[in-house]
DNA sequence: TGTACATCAGTGAACGCGCGTTCACTGATGTAC
DNA sequence: TGTACATCAGTGAACGCGCGTTCACTGATGTAC
């Protein structure tokens, strides 16, 4: 390996380490992450972090992209091993929830309230849409296999807007599939977020996984999945 | 009016004014609300605020209770004027969404990511559960009127937990109604939050109300509402 | 009616802290000739 | 192989800022006798 490559590798490793420490700090500081605290934990001067990230916002952006990718990855891998559409659906949903429970503050970073004064740059969209595309693909595949319940066509102006999206970016999906995928996605993420943010306290304490699966199946039915 | 009462009234008015300014500040600062900034806006010394709230957290708590009450109030009033269960359901849902759109930062305060380092005290629960009780009451009423679709009984450990809750606090509701109400509530709040937090950008822009109603009806079906 | 006292909203200075970012710098490492 | 130079990670001090909370205080208003 050339010296230049070695330097590049060390740089990449340091970048990862900064992100790893920053992720830990999300737990205590939430989204108002402190660059100085991260540097302190790494035993380096706060100014040194600027060798790796041009600003606090850029570090935040990196964390956000990582989080979207991680949850998307987890869902994709879980679904990949399954046979039927329903199995894939359930596997993807549980994978997302498992990841959220293991990384609650990263989940809050991407699906919680927006960080005041922070505007997500374009770079985040690709990673952000991965999990939605996975859900859409599962539904579309089931649709082609004739496993999707017959439903009345969508009506209303929002249906036209969704049809336009389908035409421009997702020609293999119908407006109906997109609407139902988004709706199911909102339901699933809502269920995960509310469980995570404590709204189930004092009601369902033990079998939250079971209750989540109940809701996950409901979301599947909403999306037309039979079985 | 006695002088003591006058003093009490002025005190109450000042308290309200502090909360009003603090609510405006949620927009810029999110949950890391600055007491000093609020005092500055009111033209008073920051220490004066301590005559009204013992700490920043206590002010936050007051804002949270107000927000829960406001959205609960809006939903209750909207539902009160309707005839059928479905009409009440839609009216309550739209009222919650309308309130959220009008007060996005207060919505984020109660249904967004938890504020780091802040633990909600007991006083908030009554206000927090109002809207869920309303939804549960609508479903229960429809159930008594025979307007709820027949469904298989709940199975699983979470069903037992919910049955225990029903037995202890809500004897007129079945575990099934509670499960479905919670699930529908998560779905509705998820839809509102994700719309508010920008997840619909570049897909549905115009007719978000229509798309929300589509999801609201789906939530109603999930809860067993026919029609 | 007049006076001494209590109440209490609000002041302003201070404590001790943390923050993001900049800047001139050091010193190790690698590169070119 | 040896030397001059370039690169670049990391330092430490500084700038200018904001924060929550405390404390001794002022001064207006109301109360008791």
């Amino acid at each position: 390996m050339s010296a230049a490559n070695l330097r590049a590798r060390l740089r990449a490793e340091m970048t990862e380490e900064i992100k790893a420490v920053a992720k830990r700090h999300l737990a205590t500081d939430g989204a108002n992450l402190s660059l100085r605290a991260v540097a302190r934990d790494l035993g380096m001067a706060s100014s040194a972090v600027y060798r790796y990230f041009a600003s606090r916002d850029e570090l935040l952006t990196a964390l956000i992209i990582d989080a979207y990718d991680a949850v998307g990855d987890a869902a994709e891998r879980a679904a990949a091993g399954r046979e039927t559409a329903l199995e894939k659906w359930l596997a993807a949903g549980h994978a997302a929830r498992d990841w959220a429970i293991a990384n609650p503050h990263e989940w809050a970073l991407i699906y919680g309230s927006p960080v005041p004064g922070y505007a997500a740059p374009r770079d985040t969209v690709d990673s952000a849409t991965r999990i939605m595309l996975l859900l859409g693909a599962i539904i579309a595949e089931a649709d082609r296999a004739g496993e999707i319940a017959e439903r009345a066509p969508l009506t209303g102006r929002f249906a036209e807007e969704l049809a336009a999206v389908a035409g421009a970016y997702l020609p293999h999906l119908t407006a109906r599939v997109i609407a139902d995928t988004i709706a199911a996605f909102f339901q699933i993420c809502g269920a995960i977020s509310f469980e995570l943010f404590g709204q189930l306290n004092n009601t369902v304490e033990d079998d939250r996984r079971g209750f989540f699966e109940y809701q996950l199946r409901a979301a599947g039915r909403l999306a037309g999945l039979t079985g």
Side-chain angles (χ1 to χ4, degrees), chain A:
Chain A
M1 181 184 303
S2 77
N5 278 356
L6 174 65
R7 243 204 309 228
R9 211 195 60 197
L10 288 175
R11 188 178 172 76
E13 275 171 17
M14 192 67 211
T15 306
E16 285 308 312
E17 206 169 325
I18 292 172
K19 288 198 290 186
V21 173
K23 280 169 200 171
R24 259 189 273 128
H25 272 269
L26 285 178
T28 48
D29 303 338
N32 46 5
L33 180 70
S34 155
L35 258 193
R36 294 185 97 115
V38 171
R40 222 178 290 127
D41 263 28
L42 284 160
M44 74 199 306
S46 62
S47 47
V49 177
Y50 285 82
R51 290 271 159 211
Y52 300 89
F53 296 95
S55 66
R56 197 195 73 121
D57 274 13
E58 202 175 89
L59 173 56
L60 261 185
T61 299
L63 297 183
I64 288 171
I65 290 175
D66 276 14
Y68 277 127
D69 274 332
V71 70
D73 236 60
E76 280 170 16
R77 275 211 305 273
R82 306 305 163 125
E83 279 292 319
T84 71
L86 180 61
E87 281 170 1
K88 288 181 184 178
W89 182 267
L90 294 179
H94 276 301
R97 174 171 172 275
D98 290 344
W99 185 89
I101 289 173
N103 306 278
H105 304 97
E106 287 181 77
W107 177 272
L109 187 62
I110 54 180
Y111 293 123
S113 3
V115 182
Y118 171 85
R122 284 263 160 239
D123 331 19
T124 58
V125 269
D126 279 355
S127 303
T129 47
R130 274 177 63 179
I131 190 164
M132 300 228 7
L133 290 179
L134 171 66
L135 295 182
I138 294 174
I139 298 299
E141 192 193 325
D143 198 14
R144 282 194 299 278
E147 296 170 12
I148 291 288
E150 198 72 39
R151 263 115 21 108
L154 277 189
T155 57
R157 230 175 337 129
F158 76 91
E160 295 164 29
E161 296 190 70
L162 289 173
V165 172
Y169 303 105
L170 306 160
H172 55 299
L173 298 182
T174 66
R176 177 100 212 189
V177 167
I178 296 182
D180 289 345
T181 303
I182 295 176
F185 173 71
F186 284 1
Q187 180 179 349
I188 294 168
C189 285
I192 294 174
S193 289
F194 281 84
E195 173 182 339
L196 221 56
F197 299 168
Q199 300 272 347
L200 279 185
N201 294 346
N202 305 316
T203 48
V204 180
E205 295 279 2
D206 258 25
D207 189 21
R208 291 182 169 178
R209 190 189 149 90
F211 185 44
F212 176 70
E213 181 158 326
Y214 176 72
Q215 296 176 79
L216 193 51
R217 286 178 187 273
R221 276 193 304 275
L222 159 63
L225 272 185
T226 55

